[in-house]
Amino acid sequence: MLRTDFALPEANLTDLAIPAKPALVDPFGRAIRYLRVSVTDRCDFRCVYCMAEDMAFLPKRDLLTLEELDRLCSAFMLRGTKKLRLTGGEPLMRRDVMTLFRRLSRHLRSGALDELTLTTNGSQLAKYAKELVDCGVRRVNVSVDTLDAAKFRLLTRRGDLALVLEGIDAAQDAGLAVKINAVALRHVNEDEFIPLTEWAHERGMDITFIEVMPLGEIDGQRVDQYIPLTQVTGNLAERFTLEPVAYATGGPARYMRAQETGGRIGFITPLTHNFCESCNRVRVTCTGTLFMCLGQEDAADLRAPLRASEGDELLHQAIEAAIARKPKGHDFIIDRATQMPAVSRHMSMTGG
Ligand code: SAM
Ligand code: SF4
């Protein structure tokens, strides 16, 4: 049952100009505060762990329009979402995505939203960094798995590392706090965990290592890519003195501090550590499908209620019904016997 026994403070909703609605709380008592929205499934890269070389992208008509994305995000804010992350695919590849950022920024000004942020591959950051700051964005996550330009091109199947590094420069110059995301990959960046961390910390950036997750069919086998993060920590401990820190961003990462640099290192370990108990997140795809858990197939269509009427009542009903089904957790597994992806959709669809 959905808890409806408390409403959101009126003051937070001035800009939304609609009566307060009950906050969204799932059957396990977790309030939904964090929404991740994939604004496009397209990308200018084809990272080997994320996509197949010949990905078939969705027809444009299936995507939510920017107006629909705005309505959908605003509906979640009315129900208690305080943090919104736009992702993809590559969010900065969506045509006119800045219009969406600009519109959503009104919720930062009104206080309905605490944080508007994005996860990007960085290729378009040089172009958009200043505008993002103007829209109230203060932090960005940029994915960099290797600092070797040749390896980077192979791994992304087309990316230009220099362009991404320029993007990071532009973001920092514009005043954005940058956090680096690096997926730990066997035979790819095993020798770079220390250099990547040194580079990030020298530039005042946190870095988070991510275990590769079994999402979507790719060319090749996950078991060949997977490294448990215990191996990453073991490797980092040869160079850094790691101390646990209480820092939390509302995301699933657990943080350590490297005493030598003073910088933070995050670890996202969906496979070796169950991070579900405190999960306050849900995800929406660019077609308006709401996933209550990254690692489960159950989903709810929000596009039909969005398109069925100009008002948002049907949308709210669909969101409530879906949150009432949010599962307790996922059960990812990667091993030789289980070579099928845990869920069939790619990370670029649900958004990382
Ligand atoms: N294109 C943007 C980017 O690369 O940052 C945003 C979308 S991408 C899907 C978000 C994050 O998911 C990236 O940090 C990426 O490395 C990570 N990712 C993609 N596929 C993954 C997988 N199978 N397992 C773990 N992380 C994955
Ligand atoms: Fe594109 Fe990001 Fe997936 Fe790489 S990880 S292919 S940059 S969506």
Side-chain angles (χ1 to χ4, degrees):
M1 274 295 290
L2 200 66
R3 239 172 78 190
T4 53
D5 52 350
F6 61 93
L8 297 169
E10 211 80 58
N12 281 351
L13 302 170
T14 45
D15 185 60
L16 292 167
I18 352 184
K21 289 240 179 217
L24 296 169
V25 179
D26 79 2
F28 303 96
R30 297 169 297 191
I32 306 305
R33 299 279 184 219
Y34 185 176
L35 175 66
R36 292 186 173 216
V37 180
S38 173
V39 297
T40 176
D41 63 328
R42 286 164 200 258
C43 187
D44 49 341
F45 294 180
R46 297 285 184 281
C47 300
V48 294
Y49 52 81
C50 177
M51 293 189 181
E53 171 91 69
D54 58 344
M55 283 292 283
F57 294 112
L58 295 163
K60 293 225 169 73
R61 63 174 180 280
D62 288 355
L63 301 196
L64 295 187
T65 64
L66 296 177
E67 290 74 15
E68 288 167 338
L69 283 166
D70 180 34
R71 267 176 72 198
L72 188 143
C73 294
S74 302
F76 272 92
M77 281 170 229
L78 190 68
R79 311 301 298 271
T81 288
K82 301 301 283 178
K83 179 167 171 176
L84 175 61
R85 178 176 296 278
L86 300 193
T87 175
E90 175 45 42
L92 297 180
M93 292 301 286
R94 170 89 194 234
R95 186 194 288 260
D96 289 334
V97 73
M98 284 302 145
T99 308
L100 180 62
F101 274 102
R102 225 168 291 120
R103 283 192 188 188
L104 291 171
S105 70
R106 73 189 185 282
H107 298 306
L108 289 170
R109 289 193 297 277
S110 76
L113 190 62
D114 288 343
E115 185 172 38
L116 174 59
T117 180
L118 75 153
T119 302
T120 172
N121 66 23
S123 71
Q124 312 297 309
L125 256 186
K127 191 154 114 200
Y128 291 125
K130 283 208 180 74
E131 221 174 324
L132 287 168
V133 172
D134 289 344
C135 294
V137 176
R138 295 291 171 259
R139 299 195 301 151
V140 290
N141 288 0
V142 185
S143 304
V144 181
D145 305 316
T146 172
L147 289 171
D148 175 320
K151 228 195 263 181
F152 188 87
R153 182 164 290 276
L154 281 175
L155 185 64
T156 58
R157 295 202 186 97
R158 58 195 67 189
D160 179 354
L161 178 65
L163 205 62
V164 171
L165 297 182
E166 268 172 45
I168 292 174
D169 286 341
Q172 290 195 304
D173 289 348
L176 288 167
V178 177
K179 192 194 80 175
I180 300 300
N181 279 345
V183 177
L185 296 160
R186 184 169 302 288
H187 307 312
V188 178
N189 59 4
E190 264 170 311
D191 54 340
E192 286 195 77
F193 304 145
I194 293 172
L196 273 165
T197 304
E198 285 173 332
W199 165 75
H201 287 181
E202 267 163 30
R203 302 189 49 133
M205 307 184 292
D206 290 345
I207 182 165
T208 292
F209 291 97
I210 307 173
E211 274 176 355
V212 74
M213 291 179 244
L215 302 177
E217 292 283 358
I218 51 162
D219 312 324
Q221 286 186 4
R222 296 281 176 199
V223 71
D224 296 329
Q225 300 179 338
Y226 175 64
I227 307 182
L229 287 194
T230 42
Q231 191 179 318
V232 181
T233 13
N235 178 236
L236 291 174
E238 289 171 17
R239 161 76 178 80
F240 305 111
T241 317
L242 301 173
E243 50 188 24
V245 283
Y247 180 73
T249 57
R254 283 158 196 249
Y255 282 88
M256 309 273 254
R257 188 182 304 283
Q259 256 180 26
E260 290 75 5
T261 61
R264 274 186 299 247
I265 310 172
F267 299 94
I268 300 186
T269 55
L271 290 136
T272 50
H273 189 277
N274 195 327
F275 60 7
C276 303
E277 14 4 288
S278 59
C279 178
N280 62 354
R281 291 167 294 279
V282 290
R283 295 172 158 84
V284 178
T285 70
C286 52
T287 55
T289 304
L290 171 66
F291 284 97
M292 289 73 85
C293 172
L294 180 62
Q296 303 274 3
E297 299 280 7
D298 188 25
D301 174 30
L302 300 182
R303 187 178 57 189
L306 261 169
R307 291 186 175 169
S309 71
E310 281 180 15
D312 290 337
E313 210 39 56
L314 294 174
L315 175 63
H316 280 287
Q317 283 169 16
I319 294 173
E320 280 170 23
I323 298 302
R325 304 202 302 269
K326 184 168 160 63
K328 195 168 181 194
H330 65 67
D331 26 53
F332 287 147
I333 180 164
I334 296 185
D335 61 26
R336 295 250 169 227
T338 316
Q339 294 189 350
M340 293 293 287
V343 292
S344 55
R345 62 189 187 276
H346 290 89
M347 189 75 146
S348 54
M349 181 181 165
T350 333

